[in-house]
Amino acid sequence: MSETKIAIKVLTWPDLSFFKVHSMRSNQRAISLNHEIFIERFYPGLQRSHDQVLFPLLIVGPGVRPAHRLTRMAMRSLGSRNWHIKGESIHEPVEEPGRYGKLVENDFAIMAFEGNERPRAVTLTLVSAAEDAELHAVIAQHLELPAKHAMLKVSETFLAHLRASTTGAYPDRQHPLDAFISGDTIEDVLFGTDAPASTGTHAPSRTGILPPEDWHRLLLAADETRQRGEEFFGAWLTATGHVGDDFQWVSQALPRSAYDYEVHSARWIAGAPPVFVHVRATRASFERPIHMTLTELLFAAKRENCRIARLYDIESETPKLRILTGTQAIAERLIETLNALPDRVTADSLQLDPGLFAVELQVKLQKHP
């Protein structure tokens, strides 16, 4: 099963000359891939190779922009130690003049390589001091590069921390590091999370360019996120005095249940009434879309005492929980709309903006359940 290999590189002017707008700054016109990371850590099987490795290249950023999809290659010249991302110079998209013009030396490139034996797809996220000032500053502060212009291996968890700490710099539900957050749900992986934001743009997605084994990996990661979210919620219930028969983790025993937890005495509500809770977890921000199945909506539409436990930033130093209410009224409206669909047209899952719901409680959690 393939893994994503991620590195952050400090860009030099020779690296930036790969972009047509900066091509006069150097004759290199390629992005250098440091041998110690690209070969020794990521792809040791390419140690003696001089083959051209062709792959889809997805460029995200600078700032929050639609993904720029290209095809380029990795190769090294005879006598050279380092590999490079090469090919035709990268031109700015016709509809986005000036996209790469503000990039300067010491900006960052975050690169995700998909594939075990050789890169089969590459995501390149550009972080510029001009358009990503807060994110650029946080990376510069936390990144301990062994030498100037080096390339350093990092984890998805590290990127999730970066994202969580700079969410406020990108107000329209999007963040350039969304491209590195694997789908949080099966629906995210299969269909993406390209729900239009208020700007009419779409969050970048890299799953469409992955081979089958990497889709399988993302599905497993989505299931792990779901499992961790449910564990976080159960740990929070215990930490807030819910013990013994106060709650039941229903979906652990019945994975196809219409809800995840039955809390017989919800202590965060006056009078401690019973509630049914749908747990929805994400490694990204609160605003990440929530998916609900038709079965879950039908269940919620018939009960006043349903809640959604929205866990978010679960990989950060301070995972968070918001308990959302108003589920019944929203579910009723959605079911009414679905019933009006034409004959022989059905929907079995819907993607919802969590902002539709009222927030009943908001708390910070311990890092690990």
Side-chain angles (χ1 to χ4, degrees):
M1 183 170 59
S2 180
E3 296 181 356
T4 304
K5 302 162 177 63
I6 306 174
I8 297 182
K9 177 179 173 58
V10 180
L11 294 168
T12 65
W13 282 124
D15 294 323
L16 290 170
S17 69
F18 192 32
F19 296 91
K20 183 64 176 178
V21 68
H22 299 297
S23 61
M24 299 304 293
R25 293 185 177 273
S26 170
N27 290 326
Q28 176 175 295
R29 298 179 187 176
I31 297 177
S32 178
L33 302 173
N34 297 52
H35 180 89
E36 293 79 3
I37 300 299
F38 184 69
I39 295 300
E40 294 182 8
R41 301 292 298 276
F42 291 173
Y43 298 108
L46 296 177
Q47 177 78 36
R48 300 181 183 279
S49 175
H50 287 87
D51 293 344
Q52 296 180 356
V53 181
L54 195 69
F55 48 76
L57 176 66
L58 183 74
I59 303 179
V60 176
V64 179
R65 302 172 185 270
H68 187 188
R69 299 178 183 272
L70 303 165
T71 299
R72 292 297 183 268
M73 68 182 74
M75 62 175 294
R76 65 168 175 165
S77 304
L78 288 172
S80 173
R81 187 166 183 262
N82 286 345
W83 284 63
H84 294 80
I85 297 178
K86 304 187 73 170
E88 180 186 353
S89 293
I90 297 174
H91 293 253
E92 292 173 336
V94 174
E95 66 276 12
E96 292 184 284
R99 173 167 179 162
Y100 304 122
K102 293 182 181 179
L103 290 169
V104 297
E105 191 170 39
N106 296 320
D107 280 343
F108 298 107
I110 307 175
M111 293 177 278
F113 301 90
E114 306 286 350
N116 270 336
E117 304 301 324
R118 57 182 56 208
R120 288 193 296 259
V122 179
T123 298
L124 176 70
T125 293
L126 300 167
V127 179
S128 76
E131 297 191 52
D132 306 281
E134 186 173 333
L135 178 59
H136 190 282
V138 172
I139 292 175
Q141 178 183 357
H142 289 90
L143 204 61
E144 296 183 2
L145 289 166
K148 187 179 181 182
H149 305 320
M151 183 173 167
L152 185 68
K153 178 183 177 181
V154 297
S155 67
E156 282 195 24
T157 299
F158 175 75
L159 296 184
H161 292 168
L162 289 179
R163 191 198 184 287
S165 64
T166 57
T167 299
Y170 302 95
D172 292 321
R173 293 182 48 191
Q174 299 182 64
H175 194 287
L177 296 187
D178 284 343
F180 295 96
I181 303 297
S182 301
D184 289 316
T185 66
I186 302 302
E187 294 86 356
D188 285 349
V189 174
L190 295 177
F191 308 118
T193 56
D194 291 341
S198 59
T199 58
T201 59
H202 292 74
S205 173
R206 57 190 171 97
T207 57
I209 61 176
L210 299 185
E213 58 267 34
D214 290 321
W215 283 76
H216 180 60
R217 174 181 58 78
L218 291 177
L219 290 171
L220 290 177
D223 190 59
E224 180 182 354
T225 299
R226 175 200 60 77
Q227 176 75 14
R228 289 196 65 202
E230 293 181 16
E231 290 173 357
F232 266 120
F233 184 69
W236 175 78
L237 287 174
T238 299
T240 51
H242 297 78
V243 294
D245 294 333
D246 282 348
F247 67 92
Q248 180 182 4
W249 186 358
V250 178
S251 60
Q252 185 180 38
L254 302 171
R256 297 181 66 85
S257 171
Y259 55 94
D260 298 303
Y261 275 85
E262 183 173 356
V263 184
H264 308 294
S265 300
R267 297 178 184 274
W268 70 90
I269 305 173
V275 296
F276 299 96
V277 181
H278 307 274
V279 178
R280 293 296 181 269
T282 176
R283 292 184 292 163
S285 66
F286 170 79
E287 292 81 9
R288 188 87 165 194
I290 286 173
H291 292 273
M292 293 190 72
T293 66
L294 179 59
T295 300
E296 291 167 339
L297 290 170
L298 287 169
F299 182 87
K302 297 176 181 178
R303 292 164 177 82
E304 295 181 359
N305 55 341
C306 280
R307 300 291 191 275
I308 294 175
R310 178 43 150 182
L311 291 112
Y312 57 104
D313 294 338
I314 65 171
E315 295 287 356
S316 73
E317 293 296 329
T318 54
K320 304 172 186 68
L321 164 67
R322 293 186 193 179
I323 296 181
L324 309 179
T325 188
T327 311
Q328 183 184 34
I330 292 170
E332 286 176 341
R333 294 201 305 270
L334 292 174
I335 294 300
E336 184 178 344
T337 299
L338 292 175
N339 287 338
L341 290 174
D343 290 342
R344 294 184 289 182
V345 176
T346 60
D348 57 11
S349 177
L350 293 181
Q351 179 175 284
L352 308 179
D353 183 336
L356 290 170
F357 303 92
V359 178
E360 184 172 71
L361 181 72
Q362 180 174 344
V363 295
K364 293 183 179 180
L365 307 176
Q366 297 296 320
K367 184 173 182 179
H368 296 292

